[in-house]
C-alpha cells in the first residue's frame, strides 16, 4: 500500500533513504517524502506524484543528517497532494511520522487532540499519530510511541523519529509488514527487505503488536506494554540484483522472462524430478491429518484467486477432495461453514493482502488448520499459518503478477499430488507428471519465444476498446487471468468467461470490433471450445486462438493463432498464460501505459 524506509547510522541518510524508496515504489506511487535530522532540526521534502518528482525537487537542495525516514504513498485518507504526503509532523515540528495502513479511529482521535490544542495541516489519518506521540512524549520516544499505539485502532505500520531523541527511530506494527535491517553501527527499517538487500541481508520481521526501538548500535523490541519480545534474525538469500530490471525495459518484462527459472526453483527441493518422490514433508499434510479433512478451502484475491481456481481442478481431479474457492473479501463477510475438518489454503504472492489475511484468520478461528502458499518468506501469512509452502519466484516488483502466478500453479500441482498420496490414491508423481515437470521450464521458454509475433499482434489490437477471453475447464481461470492482466496494465476493458457460458449473454457483444482470445489447448474440452470459436467467427468477431495443435480446422477458423508447447493438462495453464501475459505487456507498451506502476493500483493491498 505504502512504502516506509528509515535509517540511523553514520552515513548520509538521504541517498540511502531515496534508494530504498525507489525499491519500494511498487507499494504506492502517488506522492513521496523524506525527513532527515541534523543538529536538532528536521529537513522535510515532500511532493505529489511519483518519486521522480521528489527526486527532481531534491536535486537543488540538501537533506543533511545521518538519521531519517521516508515514504512513498498510495492514498487512502486524503488526496495525493503535497500537503497529504508523508512524513507528517506534530505541532512543534519535533516529531515526524510515516505510516502504511489505516487508523480506523482517526476522526475520534483527531477531535480529541484538537480539543487539547493540536493543530492539523493535512487530511490524513497519519498526522494524528504524530500528534498522539507529541501528546504522550515524556522524554522517551519509545514510550511515547508505545502509548500512542494503545490509542489507535486499525491496521498499520508506523515509523517515527523525534528531534528530542536524535539517534533513535521507533517502529510499530499491527498488520502491514515492517522489517528491520541490521548493519554494523547502522540499522534500517523498511516495509519490505527489498529495500534493505543492497545494505544488509540480516533482517528481523516485526510481528503484530511489536514496537521496536532502533538506534545505530542496537534494536529493542517489546509489546505495547513494554514487555520484551524476542524475534529471530532471518538471512535474506536472494541478492539485490534480483530486484533490479537487469537490462529489461520494465520489471514486468523481466519477471515474465524469469518464469522458466522461477518455476524450476519453486520445484527444487519439493519433488525429485528423477523419481517423482514428493518432499512436502509437512505434518499437516501427513496421511493421519489429511484423512481427517473432508474438504479444502482455497482463499485468495486477484491473480492468486485465479491460481486457486486452477488449484480446485487439480485437487479435485488428483486427490478427489471437494474444494471450495473464495475471494478473501467475500469470505470474511459471510457466515461460512468451516470447522476442523476443512483444510484451509491461503494463496498470496505478498503474504500480506488484508482481505486474504482476514479471511484466513476467520477460517482458522473456526478451527480449520491453515496452509499458506506465499512468495514472501517471513510475511504475515507465512508467520500465521500452521504450514507454509513457499513459491521461490524471487522478488516480484511489477504490479501485475506474472511469475508469482505460474509458481503458485506449480505449488498447487504438488499440493494436489501430496494430498493424493496422503489419501493413499497414488505414490509421488506418475511418470507422465514427472516428465511434465521435467520439460516445463523449456515449454515456458518456447512459449516466450512467441514474443515477436505477439508484439506484432499488439500493434494490430492496441486501439481495441474491449476484449473477451474464453476458456473451458482449467483454462477458464487462465481466461480470467488474461483479461485481468490486460485491464490492469493497458486499461482496456476485458472480460474472461467460461467458453460454454458465452451463449448465455456475452455473445451479444461479438462483432467485427471485438477481439476474442480463445484458449483451445488439445484437452478434453477442445471440440467444445472450437464450437465457440465457430460462433465467434460467424458473428464477425476477431479471434486470436492460443492452441497446442494448429490443425486445418483452427487454421480455417482463427484470424490469428499462437501455437504453444503441449504438456499434461494439469500443467498446461502454466504454459498457456505466458502469451496472454506478453500480449497484455505489449499492448500496454504500445498504448504508452505505465506498465510497472499502473494507475490506481499498488502491489500489496494491505487495507480493505
Ligand atoms: C495481479 O496482477 C494483481 N495486481 C492483484 O490482483 C494481486 O494478485 C492481488 O492483489 C493479490 O495479491 P497477493 O497475491 O499478494 O495476495
Amino acid at each position: 500500500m505504502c512504502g516506509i524506509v528509515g535509517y540511523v547510522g553514520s552515513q548520509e541518510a538521504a541517498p540511502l533513504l531515496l534508494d530504498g524508496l525507489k525499491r519500494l515504489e511498487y507499494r504506492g506511487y502517488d506522492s513521496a517524502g523524506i525527513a532527515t535530522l541534523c543538529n536538532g532540526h528536521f529537513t522535510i521534502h515532500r511532493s505529489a506524484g511519483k518519486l521522480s518528482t521528489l527526486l527532481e525537487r531534491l536535486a537543488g537542495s540538501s537533506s543533511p543528517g545521518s538519521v531519517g525516514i521516508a515514504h512513498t504513498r498510495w492514498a487512502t485518507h486524503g488526496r495525493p497532494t503535497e500537503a497529504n504526503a508523508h512524513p507528517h509532523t506534530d505541532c512543534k515540528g519535533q516529531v515526524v511520522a510515516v505510516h502504511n495502513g489505516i487508523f480506523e479511529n482517526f476522526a475520534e482521535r483527531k477531535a480529541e487532540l484538537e480539543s487539547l490544542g493540536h493543530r492539523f495541516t493535512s487530511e490524513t489519518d497519519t498526522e494524528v499519530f504524530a500528534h498522539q506521540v507529541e501528546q504522550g512524549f515524556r522524554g522517551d520516544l519509545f514510550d511515547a510511541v508505545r502509548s500512542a499505539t494503545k490509542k489507535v485502532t486499525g491496521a498499520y505500520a508506523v515509523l517515527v523519529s523525534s528531534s528530542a531523541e536524535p539517534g533513535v527511530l521507533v517502529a510499530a506494527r499491527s498488520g502491514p509488514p515492517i522489517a528491520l535491517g541490521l548493519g554494523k553501527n547502522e540499522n534500517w527499517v523498511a516495509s519490505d527487505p527489498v529495500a534493505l538487500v543492497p545494505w544488509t541481508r540480516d533482517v528481523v520481521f516485526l510481528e503484530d503488536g511489536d514496537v521496536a526501538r532502533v538506534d545505530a548500535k542496537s534494536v529493542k523490541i517489546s509489546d505495547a506494554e513494554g514487555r520484551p519480545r524476542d524475534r529471530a534474525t532471518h538471512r535474506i538469500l536472494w541478492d539485490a540484483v534480483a530486484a533490479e530490471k537487469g537490462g529489461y525495459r520494465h520489471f514486468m518484462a523481466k519477471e515474465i522472462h524469469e518464469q522458466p527459472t522461477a518455476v524450476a526453483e519453486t520445484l527444487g527441493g519439493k519433488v525429485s524430478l528423477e523419481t517423482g518422490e514428493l518432499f512436502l514433508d509437512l505434518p499437516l499434510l501427513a496421511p493421519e491429518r489429511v484423512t481427517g479433512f473432508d474438504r479444502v478451502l482455497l482463499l485468495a484475491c486477484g491473480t492468486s484467486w485465479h491460481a486457486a481456481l486452477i488449484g480446485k481442478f487439480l485437487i479435485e481431479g488428483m486427490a478427489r477432495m471437494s474444494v471450495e474457492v473464495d475471494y478473501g473479501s467475500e469470505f470474511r463477510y459471510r457466515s461460512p461453514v468451516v470447522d476442523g475438518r476443512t483444510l484451509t489454503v491461503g494463496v498470496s504472492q505478498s503474504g500480506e493482502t488484508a482481505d486474504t489475511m482476514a479471511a484466513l484468520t476467520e477460517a482458522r478461528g473456526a478451527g480449520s488448520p491453515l496452509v499458506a502458499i506465499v512468495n514472501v518468506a517471513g510475511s504475515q501469512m507465512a508467520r500465521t499459518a500452521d504450514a507454509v509452502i513457499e513459491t521461490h519466484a524471487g522478488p516480484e516488483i511489477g504490479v501485475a503478477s506474472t511469475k508469482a502466478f505460474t509458481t503458485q500453479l506449480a505449488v498447487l500441482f504438488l499440493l494436489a499430488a501430496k494430498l493424493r498420496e496422503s489419501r493413499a490414491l497414488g505414490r509421488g508423481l506418475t511418470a507422465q507428471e514427472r516428465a511434465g515437470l521435467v520439460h516445463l521450464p523449456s515449454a515456458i521458454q518456447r512459449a516466450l519465444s512467441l514474443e515477436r509475433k505477439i508484439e506484432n499482434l499488439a500493434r494490430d489490437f492496441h486501439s481495441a476498446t474491449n476484449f473477451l477471453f474464453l476458456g473451458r475447464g482449467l483454462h477458464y481461470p487462465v481466461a480470467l487471468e488474461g483479461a485481468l492482466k490486460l485491464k490492469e496494465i493497458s486499461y482496456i476493458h476485458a472480460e474472461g468467461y467460461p467458453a460454454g457460458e458465452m451463449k448465455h449473454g456475452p455473445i451479444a457483444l461479438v462483432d467485427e470490433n471485438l477481439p476474442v482470445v480463445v484458449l483451445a489447448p488439445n484437452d478434453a474440452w477442445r471440440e467444445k471450445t472450437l464450437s465457440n470459436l465457430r460462433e465467434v467467427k460467424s458473428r464477425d468477431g476477431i479471434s486470436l486462438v492460443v492452441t497446442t495443435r494448429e490443425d486445418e480446422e483452427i487454421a480455417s477458423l482463427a484470424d490469428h493463432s499462437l501455437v504453444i508447447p503441449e504438456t499434461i493438462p494439469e500443467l498446461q495453464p502454466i504454459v498457456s498464460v505466458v502469451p496472454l501475459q506478453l500480449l497484455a505487456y505489449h499492448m500496454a507498451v504500445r498504448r504508452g501505459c505505465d506498465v510497472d506502476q499502473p494507475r490506481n493500483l499498488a502491489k500489496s493491498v494491505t487495507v480493505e
Side-chain angles (χ1 to χ4, degrees), residues 459-476:
R459 196 183 49 212
D460 294 348
F461 286 143
H462 80 279
S463 52
T465 48
N466 291 292
F467 258 78
L468 188 60
F469 288 74
L470 300 175
R472 283 178 185 254
L474 286 150
H475 282 78
Y476 158 48

Side-chain angles (χ1 to χ4, degrees), residues 298-302 304-305 326-332 344-363 370-374 380-381 605-608:
L298 294 168
L299 296 172
C301 296
S304 298
W305 181 76
D326 207 347
Y327 288 115
S329 54
E330 286 295 315
F331 181 87
R332 63 187 293 194
T344 299
V345 181
V347 186
S348 174
Q349 188 284 129
S350 61
E352 59 173 309
T353 300
D355 284 325
T356 308
M357 200 56 234
L360 296 177
T361 307
E362 174 99 15
L370 172 60
V371 179
I373 297 176
V374 293
Q380 192 184 10
M381 228 170 270
V605 186
T606 54
V607 294
E608 262 194 272

Side-chain angles (χ1 to χ4, degrees), residues 308-323:
L309 287 178
I310 294 172
K312 175 180 166 78
F313 276 89
L314 300 177
I315 296 169
E316 287 183 347
M318 292 164 68
R320 305 304 300 142
M321 292 176 83
S322 159
V323 182

Side-chain angles (χ1 to χ4, degrees), residues 31 60 90 135 228 262 330 417 436 446 488 492 521 601:
S31 46
D90 64 343
Q135 182 64 30
E330 286 295 315
R446 280 185 287 141
E488 70 181 335
I492 293 173
L601 293 175

